[in-house]
Amino acid sequence: MPTMEYPEQLEWQDGQPVSRHFGDVYFSRAGGLDEVRHVFLRGNRLPERFAGLPGGARFVIGETGFGTGLNFLGAWQLFEALAPASAQLDFVSTELYPLSPAEMQRALALWPELAPLTDCLLAQYGALAPGWHRFDFAPRRVRLTLLIGDARATLPALNGVVDAWFLDGFSPARNPQLWEPALLHAIGMHSRAGATVATYSCAGAVRRALAAAGFDVRKTRGFGSKREMLTGEFRAAARAGVRMQPTRAAVIGAGLAGCAVASSLARRGWQVTLLERGAGVATEASGNPQGVLYARLSAHGTALSEVVLSGYQHSLRLLRRMLPSDGLAWSDAPVLQLAFDPREAQRQQALLQRNWPHPLLHAVDVQQASDIAGMTLPAGGVLFPSGGWVHPPALCQALAAAEGVELRTGASVSQLRHGNAGWEAWDGAHRLLHAD
């Protein structure tokens, strides 16, 4: 896991954002949103494909280079306008140098017509640690997954197939890593049969690499001053995972884990029966009155730390979306980890050398810690400014109330049986349910 430094990524030239790292524009000076619509939306035939989706269908877009998020917002706007109300959009994008929320807000303010969608994105977007981050919008309809890190490592790790690709890294001359044949091969490996690809680039190396990855590629009219661009269609059968059709699932136990799993499956279109032997949710271990939310991190950049960070930030987004911060269900408040002995102080010192984003965590001395806590403390430590606490039963109730979840209380499962028709849950001689 790389050191997490978040320097400013943008400089502004004539009112347009330019990458400090690559010295290249984020979008065409002739009109960023118009470019998105020409290159990526029409280049992938999305207007007709969205309009032609059957009810309940899921459409997956993959992207290299999230940047300002403009492509995502443009695709979301089009999907809302044309797709059936029951259809779902999954947008998966990679980014090595994520913008700060302030930079993204300034860049997206150039398009007031996107303001409602921009506000939804910025309400969840924050200082993102390397790893995978999921954002849910328009419940059960639009989902964004950001892979923060080197796309050459994150994108091949996907488990699934994509219907349309946006290749929008900075120009191959300035950012060759995002156009390497191995990465474009991985894009082919994660493409559904008939998947499309579009990019503003018309470089010969890109065209040849896409063809080698399994795409039939052609030149078409470019946008603005660019005479040509590339579009293509995947000609081979998909070689990645097989997408399961949403069916019926049973989840046993309505504590934090069970309710979270049930809600997550329901968001993906499954019909879920949540079985609980008690009289309601969170009647056992998850019924404790308060849980503190923070991240216990390693100073050594372990894979476990990456998972913990992704889970921590996902939990914050989920709480802000599902529960009122009223001091009853949960409270969005700073959390202090005190350096309570020399060993902990040494661990924290090593941890802080990794240059974390200040909004995620930072050091505080003993006086600052005491001021934050409102009481005299024996030591300083590490502050998580966006931590908090939650009443677990309130979270369980909100999760179990998701559309698509049926809660059955007083259902004690004593036996599971599996056969050709799926799973059966039994309470003694009484069959409770059948599920896939």
Side-chain angles (χ1 to χ4, degrees):
M1 186 169 66
T3 299
M4 284 181 284
E5 298 177 349
Y6 284 81
E8 287 189 6
Q9 302 295 341
L10 299 184
E11 59 183 36
W12 289 81
Q13 298 176 6
D14 301 323
Q16 298 290 314
V18 176
S19 168
R20 290 179 181 273
H21 189 83
F22 294 103
D24 200 0
V25 295
Y26 276 86
F27 34 74
S28 172
R29 297 183 186 276
L33 188 54
D34 289 338
E35 179 186 33
V36 170
R37 290 166 175 160
H38 177 86
V39 175
F40 299 112
L41 305 187
R42 290 193 288 272
N44 280 290
R45 307 193 309 277
L46 295 189
E48 54 265 41
R49 294 170 78 185
F50 284 171
L53 287 173
R58 183 165 70 105
F59 194 93
V60 182
I61 294 175
E63 178 186 53
T64 55
F66 185 70
T68 65
L70 183 60
N71 294 344
F72 166 63
L73 296 182
W76 181 4
Q77 183 189 53
L78 184 70
F79 188 81
E80 290 283 6
L82 298 178
S86 60
Q88 300 176 42
L89 175 65
D90 255 316
F91 195 100
V92 182
S93 185
T94 67
E95 182 57 58
L96 181 57
Y97 300 106
L99 303 184
S100 70
E103 288 178 316
M104 183 172 287
Q105 183 175 32
R106 182 179 177 187
L108 293 176
L110 295 171
W111 296 281
E113 70 175 276
L114 297 176
L117 304 184
T118 297
D119 291 345
C120 289
L121 174 60
L122 292 172
Q124 295 193 42
Y125 186 88
L128 301 179
W132 296 45
H133 300 271
R134 176 153 291 161
F135 305 81
D136 284 293
F137 307 101
R140 297 186 64 170
R141 183 159 170 80
V142 177
R143 183 169 62 182
L144 167 66
T145 304
L146 283 182
L147 315 182
I148 303 299
D150 192 325
R152 294 172 295 180
T154 60
L155 199 150
L158 279 177
N159 180 21
V161 287
V162 169
D163 297 295
W165 288 98
F166 297 178
L167 303 189
D168 196 26
F170 293 107
S171 72
R174 296 176 184 266
N175 184 21
Q177 293 83 2
L178 213 51
W179 305 90
E180 289 181 357
L183 181 59
L184 299 183
H185 175 74
I187 285 172
M189 291 293 292
H190 289 87
S191 295
R192 181 177 300 283
T196 58
V197 63
T199 176
Y200 66 87
S201 176
C202 209
V206 173
R207 188 170 66 253
R208 290 188 293 272
L210 283 172
F215 288 90
D216 289 325
V217 185
R218 61 188 177 278
K219 295 180 181 180
T220 61
R221 181 177 60 85
F223 176 78
S225 61
K226 290 190 68 67
R227 191 162 55 90
E228 295 176 318
M229 55 176 270
L230 293 179
T231 63
E233 185 169 325
F234 193 65
R235 60 178 176 266
R239 291 162 287 183
V242 177
R243 183 189 300 172
M244 295 182 65
Q245 293 298 316
T247 47
R248 297 162 298 171
V251 176
I252 301 170
L256 277 170
C259 291
V261 168
S263 176
S264 185
L265 287 170
R267 285 199 307 274
R268 289 158 173 79
W270 289 69
Q271 294 299 310
V272 183
T273 303
L274 181 56
L275 301 174
E276 169 55 47
R277 66 185 177 186
V281 301
T283 58
E284 299 186 29
S286 294
N288 58 81
Q290 191 177 74
V292 178
L293 186 66
Y294 68 98
R296 183 74 173 178
L297 302 172
S298 166
H300 306 296
T302 64
L304 177 58
S305 281
E306 186 170 321
V307 172
V308 167
L309 267 177
S310 291
Y312 166 67
Q313 294 190 290
H314 175 80
S315 298
L316 284 169
R317 290 191 292 269
L318 182 142
L319 289 170
R320 289 168 182 152
R321 189 177 74 249
M322 299 195 72
L323 294 177
S325 181
D326 56 5
L328 297 174
W330 91 288
S331 180
D332 187 355
V335 172
L336 272 170
Q337 286 185 11
L338 295 182
F340 50 82
D341 62 23
R343 182 177 179 181
E344 176 63 13
Q346 185 177 19
R347 188 193 74 85
Q348 291 188 6
Q349 194 62 37
L351 178 68
L352 291 165
Q353 289 176 1
R354 294 186 56 77
N355 296 319
W356 306 87
H358 195 270
L360 189 63
L361 65 93
H362 59 267
V364 290
D365 61 28
V366 62
Q367 185 59 56
Q368 291 170 322
S370 298
D371 291 343
I372 292 167
M375 60 187 293
T376 301
L377 295 176
V382 172
L383 178 71
F384 287 79
S386 296
W389 60 262
V390 64
H391 181 55
L395 178 56
C396 288
Q397 289 167 8
L399 291 166
E403 182 183 353
V405 177
E406 176 196 2
L407 174 64
R408 292 191 194 175
T409 58
S412 182
V413 179
S414 61
Q415 186 182 25
L416 291 174
R417 299 177 186 174
H418 183 260
N420 293 333
W423 291 88
E424 293 179 342
W426 290 74
D427 180 2
H430 174 59
R431 191 183 81 160
L432 294 171
L433 60 77
H434 167 268
D436 300 287

